[in-house]
Amino acid sequence: MSALTRITAPDGVAPAAQYSHVVLGTGRFVAVSGQIALDEDGKLVGEGDPAAQARQVFENLRRCLAAAGADFDDVIKLTYFVTDMAHLPAIREARAAHIPEDRLPASSAVQVAALVRPEFLLEVEAFAVIGA
């Protein structure tokens, strides 16, 4: 694991409540493609249920990070793509099961018209830094 520094309130920037404005560290960069709510058999989890989809997405992220020798402590940035901003509380709840409040990564949330298939409500990509 790399040593990461999280800055929630840089000088002159309003403090962040649900993310860190800046995360920096030294090590190897890991990029995880956007994850959607498919189980290991390729079946949709939680049709019409943003909370169930968010839980599956974070489980998929955990597995992808582990494949790279990383975990959620190494994540420096999450990007959320949602079809409705009303899904953000469900995403935050799923995130809280994996990432404590004092280790929040930098984050962006983007509302999109659609994802790759209409039944997907959200997609999350991750960037991490692991020890050299």
Side-chain angles (χ1 to χ4, degrees):
M1 179 169 52
S2 74
L4 299 179
T5 302
R6 290 168 175 79
I7 304 169
T8 57
D11 289 343
V13 178
Q18 295 291 323
Y19 58 93
S20 297
H21 278 291
V22 179
V23 181
L24 58 123
T26 304
R28 292 183 302 135
F29 185 76
V30 176
V32 178
S33 293
Q35 295 299 301
I36 50 181
L38 293 178
D39 67 13
E40 61 191 31
D41 296 320
K43 294 187 171 101
L44 174 67
V45 173
E47 185 163 358
D49 182 349
Q53 287 197 20
R55 286 189 300 274
Q56 182 64 46
V57 164
F58 273 86
E59 177 58 19
N60 292 348
L61 287 170
R62 184 194 66 74
R63 290 176 179 177
C64 289
L65 289 165
D71 61 31
F72 281 105
D73 283 344
D74 302 310
V75 172
I76 60 169
K77 176 81 163 63
L78 292 171
T79 304
Y80 310 106
F81 301 97
V82 296
T83 57
D84 187 334
M85 285 294 182
H87 302 326
L88 287 178
I91 293 171
R92 288 186 189 115
E93 185 175 326
R95 181 193 66 197
H98 296 278
I99 304 172
E101 288 290 318
D102 66 339
R103 301 194 57 78
L104 293 174
S107 298
S108 298
V110 181
Q111 184 168 334
V112 296
L115 293 166
V116 68
R117 291 189 348 216
E119 62 268 29
F120 296 125
L121 303 175
L122 58 113
E123 181 173 332
V124 182
E125 67 181 17
F127 298 103
V129 174
I130 58 176

